[in-house]
Amino acid sequence: MSSPALPAAGPLPFRDPALPIHRRVDDLLGRLTLDERITMLHQYAPAVARLGIASFRTGSETLHGVAWQGVATVFPQAVGLGATWDEELVRRVAEAVSVELRAFHRHRPPLIGPGPNSLHAWAPVVNLLRDPRWGRNEEGYSEDPVHTARLGMAYCTGMAGDHPAYLRAAPVLKHFLAYNNEDDRCVTSSGVRPRVLREYDLAAFRPIVASGAATGAMAAYNLVNGRPCHVSPLIETELRRWAEPNGHELFVVSDAEAPSNLVDPQHYFDGHAESHAAALRAGIDSFTDHGEDSGVPVGRLREALDRGLIDEDDVNRAVRRQLSLRFRLGEFDPDLDPYAGIGPEVIDCAEHRALALRAATESVVLLKNDRLLPLERARRVAVIGPLSDTLFEDWYSGTMPYQVTVAAGLEAALGEVVRVEGADRIVLRSRTTGEPLGRTSFDVVDWGGGVLTLRDAETGRYLSLQDDGSLVADREVLKTWFVNETFRLEPVLDGVVLRNVRTGLYAVVDPDDRRVGVTAETPAAAERWERELVRDGAADARAAAEAADVAVVVLGNHPLINGRETEDRRDIVLPEGQETLLRSVAAVRPQTALVVMSSYPYAVDWAHEHLPAVVWTSHGGQETGRALAAVLLGEAEPGGRLPQTWYRGDDELPHPLDYDIIKAGWTYQYHRAAPLYPFGHGLSYTEFAYGDLRLSSGTTAQDGVVEVSLTLTDIGGRPGSEVVQLYVRALDARYEAPRLRLADFRKVRLSPGESRELAFRLRAEQLAHWDVATGAFTVDPGAYEVLVGRSAADIVLTAPLTVRGAAPAPRAVVGRRTPAVDFDDHTGIAIVDAARTAGDAVTAADPAHPATLEFRSVDLSDAVRVEAEVAREGAGPGAARLEFHAGDRLLAEIAVPVTGDRYAWTTVASDLGTAPEGVHDLRLTLHGDFRLAAFHCGASLTMS
């Protein structure tokens, strides 16, 4: 929506498109009153009628299509787009999304809130998929920072458009930072050591921001190292610093209700005026809080201003960033805006439908194939499973204009298929009244962990818990924040009891009016139901499979159940009922292909061992079925490759809150056990030969560049696509280096017999690691390997590479301050905040057990004394002390006094006795409940 010009003797300077944006912003900012500027700090910034300024709102959801605004083209989930490994395709998808967003902005009224639909687009998500149990796994692209940054940059570029002055939409990166768990997400802290922070989490954000492709970022709900992300100093010291060279400041927004969370439930500040002030000073420019009611957040900011917690400059900085973005979106230049003419006909247009089909097709990954695929057209096909003839929307999906299911896609191609859901149809008969629940039967689907949906067999609608506690089968689609349609059937001695998952309450029957209500708190008080089997789903599936030549079994997840925003998965196994169905079908029809349609990886070990073919797709949007049919029948190449590791079922995964990928062994970079399917894996219907790996030089300087080339040939009988993956690894590193890490990749399409020479430019800085001893990225001299693979576990070519340079010096600790968090290794520690505004410290994760920090190759020459910065809130059980060891030798033992507050720091010291000359591994051991920020070795009593 544009801000109309007011009649005047002459145009005001901010209306003059010939002026630079910064001058126009300065002029408009100066014309706004302080109170008007404060009101603009909320998500819903009001209009300023006296200046002809329209209202403005932040945030349209555009992760894989325009969401929450009605019918729109729905593309594959972000993890599915990640599986394409195709930057140009992702850019085109984002372009289509932003074009439709423009149409919604100008031609469709908002479904939520006042004002036009926003061009401020909350996408992409560049959080890394380190744990496949993360409830929002579907929203990210990959477990790898290089892959994620490349696709994230492509998405931002497509959203923003290519006009030199105006944006088609304003892409916002989510969620800053280290956000990979949903359970208790607002109060959990992600412990991220400096190497993980720099080499992993920040590495996904930095290239996108530095390129200028992103216009902003959203802070995450969680804490990092004990400090809420909404007051993180990294917003200014990293995000905004990266953006400086491109000339546009990032506009940083809060996540929904996160500013209020700073007080409750995080209890990081005592009052909301303090918390909102801290967030504004930390770099939050817009407060997404209290929905459309700006009064409360704005009131808190006014109080902060009145109390001197913020000043007018703090307000101006944030408003300036918002106004700059609004000018770039063309709001003040409607006649010059190159995107203003986009009409509503682009929504779900034929071009976008074709693009949705291509994206869904390119995202399909062939995990295993023992000559079953592609299917022969003459064969009779049975399509079986709970996802065989339905498609689901996730929370950030648009409303699909139509749905092509797997069964429909295959039927359109083959003429006829047999469709069997494989769900049991049951009657739940009340023991009290003898009447069936709802006077109908239900089709039951197992979504894992005993969680079921019950769908009315006559209407197809889901049984749903109503606000008054009654049960009615009235829900056609599951897509609400609170899902009331999931239940458990828990066995008891005389039948089963029906329990609603969300409330935890049980169904009861009123003996007088016979109404069913979900009000009982215990199984003992619940109604007993007799579970009568009307139709055996597995038996129907077996019969269909026996009568067919091939069975295609489609299993997976519902995006709103068991693994979604606010809820992590407990494990990675297939739902028991779905696994049983699969095995039942395979027992009678060995020619069975498993299609996993899911938001995340599953441990499909049995299927991999016993079935001839396994395929994965994300929830691929409206064209999912047509895309899968094309791949299954060989009309299209399975061009997808896995964007994350698929672990085995017996692989014990790290704790979900262990964010230290190095120590915990997360992702292909550090995981030690062989996965079921590795990162980058995906088979083809043709065969590719790799050869002639050449480096322009076998050696390079620490700031040098090496040209890498190889030849790829399609030696199969059909055209196909291959993702050539370039990895690097350090040999004999002095630090715990990744097993290998992705440096570059390229998706290549070849015809049969075609060869192509591929060239990659490998910069020495891509070999760098974060050196905790110097606090900088460092390329160590020494031996490296350049590797080319079909996946992280299928390396086909290698070449040695030597980096020239002087050997790193031992770590210097004498005469300087060494932050405790800059350790080389650790056991039993937690990283915490040293102050509310900045700084990290360490503490024992469990004060009852000692914690250790290891600092390797430390030069202790001339050290005669050690000092430590410590804080101890109260006297807990047992004494608190800090020990310093050089190897097995105890150098010092220092008692830690009570300082009265976790942020009240004092310095404790001890002489070392006999000076430990030379280079040693220094080990610090923390006993008891206290925090350690840094230590210092030397003769001086003063920390430097």
Side-chain angles (χ1 to χ4, degrees):
M1 186 173 182
S2 61
S3 291
L6 291 178
L12 298 175
F14 77 85
R15 296 284 183 187
D16 185 354
L19 293 176
I21 283 182
H22 73 272
R23 287 186 57 186
R24 301 176 73 184
V25 171
D26 285 345
D27 178 71
L28 178 53
L29 192 67
R31 296 177 188 278
L32 294 166
T33 67
L34 178 57
D35 193 64
E36 288 168 339
R37 279 173 267 150
I38 290 177
T39 63
M40 295 176 74
L41 299 178
H42 187 254
Q43 177 185 17
Y44 289 88
V48 183
R50 65 184 185 84
L51 294 175
I53 307 301
S55 62
F56 176 79
R57 60 190 288 186
T58 65
S60 286
E61 298 291 356
T62 56
L63 185 59
H64 56 110
V66 178
W68 305 1
Q69 296 182 23
V71 171
T73 307
V74 177
F75 297 94
Q77 292 176 306
V79 70
L81 295 175
T84 69
W85 290 64
D86 190 327
E87 294 160 274
E88 175 57 19
L89 176 58
V90 170
R91 186 203 65 77
R92 287 188 59 201
V93 167
E95 180 180 18
V97 174
S98 65
V99 166
E100 293 197 8
L101 181 62
R102 273 280 176 167
F104 276 103
H105 172 71
R106 183 168 291 274
H107 302 287
R108 294 285 190 270
L111 299 181
I112 303 173
N117 292 301
S118 180
L119 295 175
H120 186 245
W122 288 353
V125 171
V126 293
N127 298 113
L128 298 168
L129 308 181
R130 83 185 75 203
D131 184 349
R133 297 167 298 190
W134 182 33
R136 300 179 77 170
N137 188 88
E138 67 205 30
E139 297 182 36
Y141 292 125
S142 168
E143 70 181 36
D144 180 81
V146 170
H147 177 278
T148 294
R150 292 263 292 270
L151 268 63
M153 192 181 304
Y155 201 87
C156 287
T157 301
M159 290 291 294
D162 55 7
H163 193 277
Y166 296 101
L167 297 166
R168 188 164 47 230
V172 174
L173 302 180
K174 296 162 61 172
H175 309 82
F176 193 77
L177 183 69
Y179 170 40
N180 277 130
N181 65 279
E182 293 304 297
D183 294 348
D184 300 321
R185 63 181 179 176
C186 295
V187 295
T188 56
S189 177
S190 307
V192 181
R193 62 198 277 192
R195 275 197 61 200
V196 174
L197 175 70
R198 305 287 176 172
E199 297 174 25
Y200 193 66
D201 287 291
L202 291 179
F205 285 85
R206 183 171 185 169
I208 309 173
V209 173
S211 74
T215 65
M218 175 186 285
Y221 280 117
N222 56 292
L223 298 83
V224 170
N225 298 345
R227 181 180 297 109
C229 289
H230 281 71
V231 292
S232 172
L234 297 173
I235 295 172
E236 294 292 338
T237 63
E238 302 298 331
L239 277 178
R240 286 214 165 93
R241 178 174 61 84
W242 302 333
E244 286 174 1
N246 65 53
H248 294 294
E249 281 197 278
L250 291 183
F251 179 54
V252 179
V253 302
S254 82
D255 210 334
E257 310 307 318
S260 290
N261 291 347
L262 291 166
V263 174
D264 186 15
Q266 290 172 346
H267 304 295
Y268 202 73
F269 297 94
D270 293 332
H272 290 291
E274 294 89 344
S275 66
H276 282 45
L280 183 67
R281 292 197 311 271
I284 300 297
D285 302 314
S286 178
F287 290 71
T288 314
D289 207 324
H290 279 69
E292 303 160 37
D293 178 12
S294 63
V296 173
V298 169
R300 293 166 176 173
L301 289 162
R302 284 197 183 102
E303 180 186 346
L305 184 67
D306 292 341
R307 292 169 55 185
L309 302 174
I310 55 174
D311 58 28
E312 191 169 348
D313 288 342
D314 296 317
V315 175
N316 289 348
R317 274 193 300 272
V319 175
R320 181 185 302 277
R321 292 166 185 149
Q322 181 193 125
L323 292 175
S324 296
L325 189 65
R326 293 170 69 173
F327 275 100
R328 294 178 69 198
L329 284 168
E331 177 182 329
F332 298 93
D333 306 323
D335 295 335
L336 298 178
D337 182 354
Y339 307 112
I342 294 174
E345 68 278 359
V346 302
I347 299 172
D348 184 39
C349 64
E351 180 185 351
H352 292 176
R353 289 185 174 194
L355 184 61
L357 174 58
R358 185 186 164 198
T361 305
E362 290 288 328
S363 68
V364 176
V365 183
L366 181 58
L367 299 174
K368 179 187 178 180
N369 187 28
D370 286 343
R371 298 181 298 279
L372 179 64
L373 301 179
L375 298 176
E376 297 176 14
R377 283 184 167 270
R379 291 190 164 191
R380 294 168 297 173
V381 177
V383 190
I384 299 166
L387 286 89
S388 62
D389 205 16
T390 188
L391 298 180
F392 296 129
E393 296 172 0
D394 64 39
W395 185 244
Y396 292 104
S397 290
T399 301
M400 287 186 277
Y402 58 90
Q403 298 185 16
V404 182
T405 68
V406 179
L410 285 169
E411 188 169 76
L414 297 175
E416 183 180 359
V417 298
V418 177
R419 308 183 189 205
V420 177
E421 184 181 22
D424 284 345
R425 180 165 292 175
I426 67 170
V427 167
L428 291 176
R429 193 174 300 279
S430 166
R431 294 282 192 182
T432 299
T433 67
E435 295 177 355
L437 176 65
R439 300 181 183 277
T440 187
S441 56
F442 295 95
D443 293 334
V444 182
V445 176
D446 178 8
W447 298 109
V451 176
L452 312 170
T453 51
L454 290 85
R455 215 173 53 248
D456 189 313
E458 295 179 5
T459 67
R461 297 184 177 185
Y462 292 94
L463 185 69
S464 180
L465 175 64
Q466 307 297 300
D467 291 342
D468 63 1
S470 64
L471 291 173
V472 180
D474 64 348
R475 182 71 64 178
E476 294 183 7
V477 175
L478 303 189
K479 196 177 178 182
T480 52
W481 185 252
F482 296 111
V483 176
N484 293 311
E485 293 76 30
T486 53
F487 299 87
R488 299 179 191 275
L489 288 174
E490 299 178 356
V492 291
L493 288 176
D494 48 351
V496 296
V497 292
L498 179 66
R499 188 179 194 183
N500 181 262
V501 171
R502 186 175 80 81
T503 65
L505 299 178
Y506 296 86
V508 296
V509 175
D510 189 309
D512 296 326
D513 60 18
R514 301 192 170 199
R515 291 183 180 177
V516 179
V518 181
T519 57
E521 296 184 356
T522 65
E527 176 66 18
R528 269 53 177 165
W529 305 89
E530 183 179 346
R531 186 184 189 276
E532 299 176 2
L533 183 63
V534 176
R535 185 186 68 194
D536 187 327
D540 285 356
R542 284 194 301 272
E546 281 186 298
D549 298 312
V550 176
V552 176
V553 181
V554 190
L555 308 178
N557 79 301
H558 191 299
L560 273 297
I561 302 172
N562 279 353
R564 52 157 294 179
E565 187 168 0
T566 73
E567 181 186 3
D568 295 314
R569 286 195 292 169
R570 304 276 78 78
D571 53 47
I572 59 173
V573 301
L574 274 174
E576 182 180 356
Q578 296 190 35
E579 180 84 27
T580 300
L581 177 67
L582 175 65
R583 297 190 187 196
S584 182
V585 169
V588 299
R589 177 53 55 209
Q591 297 79 20
T592 293
L594 169 63
V595 175
V596 180
M597 187 187 301
S598 67
S599 307
Y600 34 64
Y602 279 111
V604 289
D605 303 47
W606 185 91
H608 177 73
E609 183 178 350
H610 294 91
L611 299 184
V614 182
V615 174
W616 173 73
T617 177
S618 72
H619 294 277
Q622 61 205 47
E623 290 284 354
T624 300
R626 213 179 328 259
L628 273 165
V631 171
L632 293 174
L633 296 171
E635 295 173 357
E637 173 75 6
R641 301 295 184 266
L642 289 181
Q644 63 187 132
T645 304
W646 282 44
Y647 299 100
R648 294 183 180 274
D650 59 359
D651 195 344
E652 187 174 346
L653 298 181
H655 191 281
L657 292 182
D658 193 342
Y659 276 69
D660 187 347
I661 66 166
I662 300 173
K663 189 79 171 178
W666 277 123
T667 82
Y668 77 94
Q669 292 192 29
Y670 292 98
H671 196 69
R672 294 156 187 88
L676 182 63
Y677 301 118
F679 172 79
H681 171 72
L683 304 178
S684 172
Y685 288 151
T686 189
E687 187 176 353
F688 296 93
Y690 289 74
D692 302 323
L693 177 62
R694 299 181 302 278
L695 307 186
S696 60
S697 174
T699 65
T700 184
Q702 289 168 294
D703 59 352
V705 175
V706 174
E707 303 294 337
V708 181
S709 62
L710 62 109
T711 301
L712 182 72
T713 305
D714 183 343
I715 60 174
R718 55 180 291 155
S721 61
E722 176 74 316
V723 177
V724 179
Q725 302 164 41
L726 185 71
Y727 295 91
V728 294
R729 68 173 159 217
L731 304 177
D732 303 319
R734 64 189 171 106
Y735 57 96
E736 189 170 354
R739 297 171 58 252
L740 73 169
R741 62 178 172 178
L742 188 69
D744 207 339
F745 63 89
R746 190 166 305 151
K747 193 165 191 174
V748 183
R749 294 172 177 83
L750 298 178
S751 300
E754 182 184 358
S755 292
R756 189 175 304 172
E757 183 173 294
L758 306 176
F760 298 91
R761 185 175 175 85
L762 179 65
R763 303 181 311 279
E765 67 186 53
Q766 293 173 274
L767 308 172
H769 76 286
W770 183 259
D771 186 355
V772 289
T774 61
F777 276 105
T778 303
V779 181
D780 279 359
Y784 294 82
E785 263 190 324
V786 178
L787 311 97
V788 177
R790 295 185 176 95
S791 74
D794 187 3
I795 302 301
V796 293
L797 299 172
T798 62
L801 177 64
T802 300
V803 175
R804 304 184 303 270
R811 179 189 282 229
V813 297
V814 177
R816 67 176 61 191
R817 182 180 186 272
T818 299
V821 76
D822 283 340
F823 52 77
D824 291 292
D825 200 0
H826 67 92
T827 57
I829 65 102
I831 305 176
V832 294
D833 54 335
R836 284 192 173 87
T837 53
D840 293 329
V842 300
T843 189
D846 180 358
H849 298 91
T852 62
L853 304 173
E854 184 175 340
F855 300 82
R856 298 184 184 131
S857 299
V858 173
D859 187 355
L860 292 173
S861 300
D862 301 324
V864 297
R865 185 175 178 82
V866 65
E867 302 173 350
E869 297 174 18
V870 295
R872 186 181 179 199
E873 190 166 7
R881 69 183 191 279
L882 175 64
E883 297 174 353
F884 290 80
H885 296 259
D888 295 330
R889 177 182 170 190
L890 178 63
L891 301 179
E893 185 175 12
I894 309 174
V896 178
V898 173
T899 63
D901 188 86
R902 59 184 176 178
Y903 303 132
W905 295 93
T906 190
T907 300
V908 294
S910 172
D911 292 334
L912 296 181
T914 305
E917 289 296 318
V919 177
H920 302 266
D921 288 343
L922 182 64
R923 186 176 75 256
L924 278 61
T925 305
L926 289 68
H927 297 271
D929 191 4
F930 68 95
R931 295 181 172 205
L932 173 67
F935 68 92
H936 172 280
C937 292
S940 171
L941 295 177
T942 304
M943 300 289 285
S944 62

